[in-house]
Amino acid sequence: MEIKKVCVIGAGTMGNGITQVVAQAGYDTAMVDIKQEFLDRGMNAIKGSLARVVKKGTITQADADKVVARIKTYTDMKAGAGDADYVIEAVFEKAEVKQPVLKQLDEVCLERTIIASNTSSIPISLLSSATKRPQKVVGLHFFNPVPVMKLIEVVKSLTVSEETIATSVALGKSLGKEPVVVKDSPGFIANRIANLAANEALKVLEEGLASAEDIDKVCRLAFNWPMGLLQMTDLVGADVVMDLGESIYKETGWERYKPAPLLKRMVESGYLGNKAGKGIYTMFGPKQ
Ligand code: 3HC
């Protein structure tokens, strides 16, 4: 199936990152959100991200300007998604938020359009049940920061067609990513592993075994990871890490995924990480 226009729903961290890579790959690109201010914030994030690569000399300013010009923004779902060949939903990571969006997309999109969800743990079968096209609903799980991270988990539900999977893998490759097809199972693969490790790092911090900085130093120096798990929690968002653990625990009953009490306290206190301007390092990092 030929894809010319891609529409991304949601202008938040993941949504604007996905929009950027889609536009950089040359697709006609739409980004939809419910408020113009969210779209403006998303576009500013894209401009900031492109400015980094222009500064490094990876692309020219003229190319960056073309990428920005390729992106149209909409507050009306039908206006943005109604003529798209492929739609990627990247709204808030809650089934009760995503399902109505999928339902509405099903109503406004062309019959042939594939609807992908950038979910990190919600079963695709649950999301696709909100539509009348489960054979055309797929999971497309990107990683943060989207312009940098190479992996996409392409999540295969019981009802999705082979054609949808093949088109999604081809789209992922055209974005310069490395798609891996995974079964529709709680946490898929990446988060099933990463959530456990991040949660354990929070427990280690809570038990006072070492400082936040030293826990992260262990991660970096022992395994050559680019950042420690506490720093990664600040990057991804404490709320996202907590919701992920809760969702895997709810689905499987596996106690080991129960969010660390400290993680819950951080979320309740609004210390969500980079996006909130305060997180684990503000609370437990070296004092200025
Ligand atoms: N846009 C474009 N380029 C960016 C960027 C952005 N937003 N952020 C970083 N980059 C580029 C830089 O320009 C640089 O490019 P270069 O190699 O060509 O010079 C490269 O990425 C490295 O960036 P920096 O030198 O500024 O900083 P670091 O070397 O510290 O790397 C990092 C930053 C890429 C974030 C690195 O620390 C990293 O890979 N961390 C791990 C991130 C991770 O684990 N992500 C997964 C989170 S889990 C998830 O997303 C799943 C979800 O479901 C929860």
Side-chain angles (χ1 to χ4, degrees):
M1 182 184 142
E2 200 196 351
I3 295 171
K4 283 194 175 150
K5 178 174 173 182
V6 177
C7 176
V8 180
I9 312 294
T13 308
M14 297 307 283
N16 72 56
I18 297 167
T19 302
Q20 181 186 329
V21 295
V22 165
Q24 276 185 285
Y27 293 101
D28 291 342
T29 311
M31 182 165 69
V32 176
D33 211 319
I34 48 173
K35 283 191 185 166
Q36 190 57 46
E37 62 176 288
F38 298 160
L39 291 165
D40 293 344
R41 215 181 294 155
M43 285 306 296
N44 281 336
I46 292 171
K47 286 175 192 162
S49 177
L50 287 169
R52 285 176 77 129
V53 277
V54 169
K55 205 170 161 198
K56 292 240 171 185
T58 318
I59 63 169
T60 63
Q61 186 59 52
D63 285 337
D65 292 343
K66 279 187 204 151
V67 171
V68 171
R70 221 170 271 138
I71 304 170
K72 308 268 180 297
T73 60
Y74 303 86
T75 49
D76 181 74
M77 176 100 76
K78 188 166 170 38
D83 61 347
D85 304 297
Y86 199 104
V87 177
I88 306 171
E89 165 283 301
V91 302
F92 197 60
E93 182 68 12
K94 290 264 182 214
E96 55 275 27
V97 178
K98 286 189 184 283
Q99 274 189 312
V101 171
L102 276 261
K103 184 173 185 297
Q104 201 187 342
L105 282 171
D106 190 35
E107 286 158 8
V108 304
C109 287
L110 299 168
E111 216 172 289
R112 62 181 159 82
T113 303
I114 293 176
I115 304 175
S117 175
N118 173 62
T119 175
S120 43
S121 69
I122 301 168
I124 301 304
S125 54
L126 180 67
L127 297 177
S128 67
S129 69
T131 75
K132 294 192 182 75
R133 62 178 87 193
Q135 75 286 1
K136 285 187 176 291
V137 178
V138 64
L140 220 52
H141 181 206
F142 289 82
F143 294 81
N144 186 1
V146 178
V148 182
M149 305 307 283
K150 284 282 178 198
L151 180 68
I152 299 178
E153 288 182 313
V154 177
V155 186
K156 189 175 183 180
S157 69
L158 292 174
T159 46
V160 72
S161 72
E162 287 300 335
E163 195 197 342
T164 299
I165 294 294
T167 305
S168 302
V169 167
L171 175 74
K173 286 184 181 165
S174 76
L175 304 180
K177 304 294 181 196
E178 301 250 2
V180 172
V181 178
V182 302
K183 280 191 182 168
D184 192 12
S185 156
F188 315 128
I189 294 177
N191 278 332
R192 184 153 155 196
I193 296 167
N195 191 265
L196 209 51
N199 205 34
E200 202 58 33
L202 263 297
K203 288 182 191 167
V204 167
L205 178 64
E206 196 166 24
E207 286 171 29
L209 301 192
S211 67
E213 269 186 312
D214 280 350
I215 294 167
D216 275 350
K217 196 181 210 177
V218 168
C219 297
R220 288 197 312 275
L221 300 188
F223 311 116
N224 252 353
W225 290 345
M227 59 169 55
L229 289 159
L230 299 174
Q231 207 187 343
M232 192 187 83
T233 302
D234 272 347
L235 172 77
V236 171
D239 52 338
V240 175
V241 175
M242 185 187 80
D243 287 348
L244 252 166
E246 270 175 353
S247 139
I248 300 176
Y249 171 61
K250 206 170 126 197
E251 184 84 15
T252 61
W254 293 333
E255 293 276 332
R256 60 188 188 272
Y257 286 95
K258 260 188 177 173
L262 177 61
L263 181 59
K264 289 187 164 182
R265 301 296 88 81
M266 297 296 289
V267 174
E268 288 155 3
S269 311
Y271 279 66
L272 303 182
N274 300 0
K275 65 185 169 190
K278 53 184 183 177
I280 295 169
Y281 270 77
T282 329
M283 182 82 81
F284 298 104
K287 301 292 170 226
Q288 305 303 323

